[in-house]
């Protein structure tokens, strides 16, 4: 199964992603189509993330408070996860603004019953800080989101300890200006969640997958995996606990209870054993 079909890239694409991989190889294929990457499953990605974020906020808002949080968009494609997160945050802020004072005071932080409707955030919840990385699609990310500073770090780079240096920004960085503190130097600030959409299953060997996931588990509280299937298999002892988002509790790694499925997009949640 594919990371996603590509659109608007004539001459090198076939309907079967297996044929594309067979003909070009995974790395070479993505090098050829990286500038024009689009994920046609974006509606399913967005809704799956909205369900997750709503449930996460209902359980974790007291801990987060108004401090904001850090998200790592890993193998970020053209920004599907980043766009979803920012849309969720902006919609929640807009809903808060539209409420009158009485409704605001009585508002339940868990939000409305509609799983795709964000809760109304108060003005104290800061805009999430997002770092993004993809060795193939950084230009597609910038083109679609209008945001700069997408890193070209690979899975291997992340597994070896590297992290993006700058958060994404609507302002193009100028040489010689003071840069924000790199994420790699902000070890006192945990990455709240890493989101990996339609890409983690492309890691070829279990040892490579283990190295990446273990490294992430030492720096990040939540891992959100979106895919058109249930791959890859994440095993016990790799740094993560499988999480039931409905019961808000650990479940066996092989258990599908508490997973999110929308428009054929699977959203699976894991919690780090290292970051509490």
């Amino acid at each position: 199964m594919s990371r996603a079909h590509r659109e608007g890239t004539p001459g090198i694409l076939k309907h079967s992603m297996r044929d594309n991989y067979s003909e070009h190889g995974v790395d070479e294929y993505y090098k050829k189509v990286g500038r024009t990457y689009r994920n046609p499953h974006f509606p399913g990605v967005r809704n799956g993330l909205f369900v997750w974020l709503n449930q996460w906020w209902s359980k974790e808002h007291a801990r987060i408070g108004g401090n904001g949080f850090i998200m790592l968009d890993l193998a970020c494609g053209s920004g599907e996860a980043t766009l979803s997160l920012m849309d969720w945050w902006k919609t929640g802020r807009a809903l808060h603004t539209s409420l009158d004072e009485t409704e605001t005071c009585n508002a339940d932080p868990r939000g409305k019953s509609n799983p795709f409707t964000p809760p109304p955030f108060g003005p104290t919840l800061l805009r999430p800080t997002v770092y993004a990385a993809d060795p193939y699609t950084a230009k597609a990310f910038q083109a679609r989101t209008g945001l700069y500073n997408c890193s070209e770090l690979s899975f291997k780079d992340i597994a070896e300890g590297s992290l993006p240096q700058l958060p994404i920004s609507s302002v193009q960085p100028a040489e010689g200006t003071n840069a924000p503190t790199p994420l790699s130097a902000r070890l006192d600030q945990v990455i709240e969640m890493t989101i990996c959409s339609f890409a983690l299953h492309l890691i070829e060997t279990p040892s490579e997958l283990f190295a990446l996931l273990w490294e992430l588990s030492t720096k990040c509280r939540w891992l959100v995996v979106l895919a058109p299937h249930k791959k890859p298999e994440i095993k016990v002892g790799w740094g993560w606990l499988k999480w039931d988002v409905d019961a808000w509790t650990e479940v066996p790694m092989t258990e599908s209870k508490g997973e999110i499925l929308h428009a054929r997009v699977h959203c699976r949640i894991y919690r780090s054993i290292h970051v509490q």
Side-chain angles (χ1 to χ4, degrees):
M1 183 61 78
S2 69
R3 172 172 177 170
H5 294 297
R6 267 39 177 196
E7 300 171 343
T9 314
I12 63 170
L13 297 182
K14 297 180 179 180
H15 181 69
S16 168
M17 294 303 297
R18 183 174 292 130
D19 288 346
N20 284 322
Y21 293 160
S22 177
E23 179 176 345
H24 302 286
V26 173
D27 284 347
E28 189 61 29
Y29 175 71
Y30 286 118
K31 287 177 183 177
K32 291 182 177 182
V33 302
R35 289 174 176 266
T36 56
Y37 176 86
R38 292 293 185 274
N39 188 340
H41 301 284
F42 179 47
V45 169
R46 179 184 182 277
N47 285 339
L49 286 176
F50 269 44
V51 173
W52 154 244
L53 289 166
N54 286 347
Q55 186 69 352
W56 164 79
W57 180 253
S58 75
K59 301 298 185 180
E60 302 283 86
H61 68 274
R63 176 176 59 80
I64 298 296
N67 297 322
F69 57 92
I70 296 174
M71 188 270 273
L72 173 60
D73 191 350
L74 182 60
C76 61
S78 58
E80 292 80 12
T82 293
L83 290 171
S84 299
L85 173 65
M86 300 315 300
D87 189 20
W88 177 81
W89 179 79
K90 290 175 183 177
T91 302
R93 291 292 295 269
L95 287 172
H96 179 274
T97 302
S98 69
L99 294 173
D100 62 34
E101 185 174 352
T102 300
E103 289 175 319
T104 300
C105 291
N106 295 330
D108 187 331
R110 293 172 295 181
K112 299 180 180 180
S113 59
N114 185 340
F116 307 127
T117 300
F121 305 129
T124 58
L125 179 62
L126 301 178
R127 181 187 184 95
T129 300
V130 177
Y131 292 79
D134 196 302
Y136 306 110
T137 65
K139 293 188 182 299
F141 180 94
Q142 180 182 325
R144 186 176 192 183
T145 65
L147 300 169
Y148 298 93
N149 299 335
C150 178
S151 165
E152 295 186 0
L153 292 176
S154 66
F155 286 141
K156 185 175 184 293
D157 296 326
I158 301 292
E160 292 176 350
S162 296
L163 288 170
Q165 294 295 293
L166 299 173
I168 59 171
S169 171
S170 59
V171 179
Q172 185 173 10
E175 293 186 7
T177 58
N178 293 327
T181 303
L183 178 55
S184 58
R186 300 168 62 180
L187 297 182
D188 60 322
Q189 289 188 272
V190 170
I191 301 171
E192 180 63 22
M193 65 185 74
T194 293
I195 300 177
C196 190
S197 175
F198 281 67
L200 202 62
H201 63 283
L202 296 177
I203 296 178
E204 295 182 351
T205 68
S207 62
E208 291 174 317
L209 182 60
F210 164 77
L212 173 67
L213 294 181
W214 184 267
E215 181 67 21
L216 285 173
S217 74
T218 66
K219 300 173 179 176
C220 176
R221 181 173 284 109
W222 298 101
L223 174 66
V224 182
V225 180
L226 295 130
H229 44 54
K230 294 191 175 184
K231 297 179 180 179
E233 180 184 2
I234 297 177
K235 298 182 179 181
V236 175
W238 286 12
W240 298 93
L241 304 172
K242 182 76 178 294
W243 204 254
D244 180 340
V245 300
D246 296 321
W248 205 250
T249 189
E250 176 189 356
V251 293
M253 282 292 189
T254 56
E255 178 64 70
S256 61
K257 184 180 180 181
E259 293 183 0
I260 300 164
L261 176 62
H262 184 79
R264 298 183 179 181
V265 175
H266 295 261
C267 181
R268 292 174 291 148
I269 310 300
Y270 300 86
R271 183 160 190 162
S272 171
I273 65 173
H274 298 115
V275 179
Q276 300 303 315

